[in-house]
Structures are given as structure tokens and as C-alpha cells.
Amino acid sequence: MSGTESRTAAVAEIKAVIEDWAEAIRRKDASRVLAHGTEDSVIFSLAPPLKASDSDPDGLEQWFSTWKGPLGFTFQDLDISASGNVAFVTALAHLSGEKHDGQKPALWYRLTLGLKRTDRGWKIAHQHESVPFYMDGSLKAAVDLDPKSEVDWQAPSHPPMAGVVAYLNVQDANATAEFYRRAFGAKEEDRKYAEDGKRLIHCHLTINGGALMLNDPFPEFGYPWKPPEGFVLHLIVDDADFWWKRAVEAGAQVTMPLEIAFWGDYYGQLRDPFGITWGIVAPVKKND
């Protein structure tokens, strides 16, 4: 058999291995998945930790148990390169399914597999999964991309935003953004949806000249919702009464009355329907 014929045969064998490995993932068959890996297989997956081993059947079973029914798992741009006893596979992978809590995650990610030929056939020795992250300073994973997504490299860069920008993980980012529009006159600058078309992975608002970022929880990627506590968002405005009245009429709850504080400014606190505490601050207007 010539070298070309040998490589062609190896590629066919590897493709069959990858297809069976993927089918095992779809069926949530942990033992069948693990049978395709070497004993010392290394995994750099989307989920923590930074480095794991494929020899953790309990961990794999636990992850499978979070899904209801079979998984969707497909490839695009699958490429296999083999030489001797080593092979590399690259692809764009799409994972989807339904969680027991009703959420239906679906995302594309980049997949690289390193395989080696053993006396038991081709086995996966290394698995690497990754997604890009947005370069706008948010460091948020770009889980809304698909193979058709394009980047305009000629688009001008956004100027850096001044000061400290709050990034809130809220239970319903759509509803929160709408409330902030009514209560605080928020202007929406940008929003990006996840592939479920419902949750927001990024929402950029401008309130009183400052930036505020929002996103929905993504527990499947390590970003669950937690009740907000230990911080206050301060709005420094020129007319405390106007801002206060608008927010209260929109549905904000008074937790500290608006009055002259010990340092000489008007100050009061409100809690919005999503549990975020806001401070309204304005200088006391002196009579002429």
C-alpha cells in the first residue's frame, strides 16, 4: 500500500471513530464516549477546570444527567489530517438540547482533536474546545456566533469608555432594559442574543451619559444568576426630584427617602423590580 493509500485508509478509519464518538455524545452514553479516548487523554473543554481528563466517568455522567432527552451534536468544516500514528481533526461543532429546567442551549464552538493509533485502533488523546470572546472590554464569550457570522475588520474601533462600567447579570435582561428605559431614560446602544433567540449575552445601555451593561444568566457556561447585594449604582443628576419621581412612577421602590444628606447633596435610594439598588444624587440648588 502506498503512502497516499495508507493516509486515505487512516482518514476513513478516523472519520468512523469520530462519527461513533459523536453518536455516543448524542445518546449520552458515557462509557461509549470514554471508550474512544486514551487512558491519559487530556481535555481543554468549555467548562471549568482549565484542564481535565477524559477518564472521569462520574463527571461525564453528571453532565449528561443535566440534559433532558438526546443531544444535538453536529460538525461543519470537518478536516482530518493523518501521518503515521498521529492525526489531527478540526471542525466547527454545534451542541444543542434541552435542560431539565426548560432552557434550550444551542451554540457553535471550535473543536480540535488529537488522535494516535494504538493496538486498539485510533483513540482520542487530546480534545480542545473554545469560543472567541468579544474584544470590547466585556470579555464575554461570543456564544451567539455561527459559521455564517462575519466580522467587519474595516469598521472603526469604538473609543474607550471612561470610568468604571457596571456589568449586571440579571434574571431577565430584556425586561430589565425596558424598565431602565422607562425609569431612568436609558438609551439602548447595542444588544446581542444567544442562539436561543431569547436570552441576551450582551446589552449596552447609556443612562445619563454613562454606560451600563446587562446580560442574562448562562448557568450552562458557569454564569448562574445570584441575588444582587453589596453594591449601589449611583446616578449623579442635576434634578433629583425629576429623576426620583420618574423612577418611582415606573415602579422603583423607595428604600431611603430623598433628602439632604450629611455631606450637603440631595440623596436617596431606590430598589428596582430586579433587586438592584440605585442612589439618586444631586446638588442642592441654592436660591438666587
Side-chain angles (χ1 to χ4, degrees):
M1 182 182 295
S2 68
T4 300
E5 292 173 332
S6 178
R7 283 192 295 273
T8 300
V11 167
E13 293 171 5
I14 294 166
K15 186 175 182 180
V17 168
I18 299 304
E19 288 177 348
D20 191 74
W21 173 74
E23 182 63 19
I25 292 176
R26 296 184 194 105
R27 295 177 179 272
K28 302 188 298 188
D29 187 338
S31 60
R32 184 173 164 189
V33 172
L34 296 178
H36 284 294
T38 62
E39 293 182 358
D40 57 352
S41 179
V42 174
I43 296 180
F44 296 153
S45 68
L46 295 177
L50 287 174
K51 178 181 178 181
S53 169
D54 201 13
S55 60
D56 180 15
D58 293 338
L60 188 56
E61 288 281 12
Q62 183 177 9
W63 182 71
F64 279 152
S65 70
T66 65
W67 298 87
K68 179 181 178 182
L71 295 173
F73 189 52
T74 59
F75 302 122
Q76 184 166 318
D77 300 335
L78 182 70
D79 183 74
I80 301 172
S81 299
S83 179
N85 294 325
V86 177
F88 290 95
V89 177
T90 60
L92 296 177
H94 188 258
L95 177 68
S96 61
E98 182 177 359
K99 294 283 189 175
H100 286 289
D101 61 4
Q103 296 188 56
K104 297 180 180 180
L107 79 152
W108 286 93
Y109 62 92
R110 301 173 292 197
L111 175 67
T112 301
L113 301 174
L115 297 92
K116 62 182 180 181
R117 195 200 306 265
T118 71
D119 55 5
R120 295 179 293 116
W122 288 95
K123 298 294 179 181
I124 300 171
H126 183 87
Q127 178 180 337
H128 197 129
E129 303 167 349
S130 68
V131 293
F133 65 88
Y134 286 105
M135 307 297 287
D136 58 2
S138 68
L139 300 184
K140 289 293 181 180
V143 295
D144 60 332
L145 299 181
D146 62 45
K148 298 179 182 178
S149 298
E150 296 182 357
V151 176
D152 183 3
W153 296 108
Q154 303 304 316
S157 300
H158 294 290
M161 288 178 285
V164 177
V165 178
Y167 213 120
L168 304 180
N169 184 318
V170 292
Q171 283 186 301
D172 188 335
N174 271 308
T176 304
E178 171 57 22
F179 176 79
Y180 290 166
R181 183 189 66 79
R182 292 184 285 109
F184 302 121
K187 177 185 175 184
E188 184 174 304
E189 303 291 343
D190 186 28
R191 68 167 54 202
K192 292 182 175 66
Y193 283 97
E195 285 209 355
D196 59 18
K198 298 178 180 179
R199 291 179 296 172
L200 286 170
I201 63 170
H202 179 69
C203 182
H204 177 186
L205 302 177
T206 300
I207 299 178
N208 196 33
L212 177 67
M213 310 296 182
L214 308 173
N215 68 270
D216 280 292
F218 287 86
E220 65 270 30
F221 300 117
Y223 294 96
W225 179 80
K226 295 180 181 179
E229 60 180 2
F231 67 92
V232 177
L233 299 182
H234 284 204
L235 269 174
I236 302 175
V237 299
D238 58 352
D239 188 338
D241 290 327
F242 170 81
W243 284 78
W244 185 268
K245 181 179 179 181
R246 182 175 57 180
V248 171
E249 288 179 350
Q253 178 187 358
V254 177
T255 57
M256 181 185 297
L258 183 63
E259 56 189 10
I260 298 178
F262 67 88
W263 62 86
D265 287 337
Y266 277 121
Y267 183 77
Q269 289 188 359
L270 305 167
R271 182 177 294 114
D272 68 34
F274 309 95
I276 308 297
T277 300
W278 293 77
I280 303 295
V281 190
V284 174
K285 294 182 178 179
K286 297 180 180 181
N287 295 325
D288 293 333

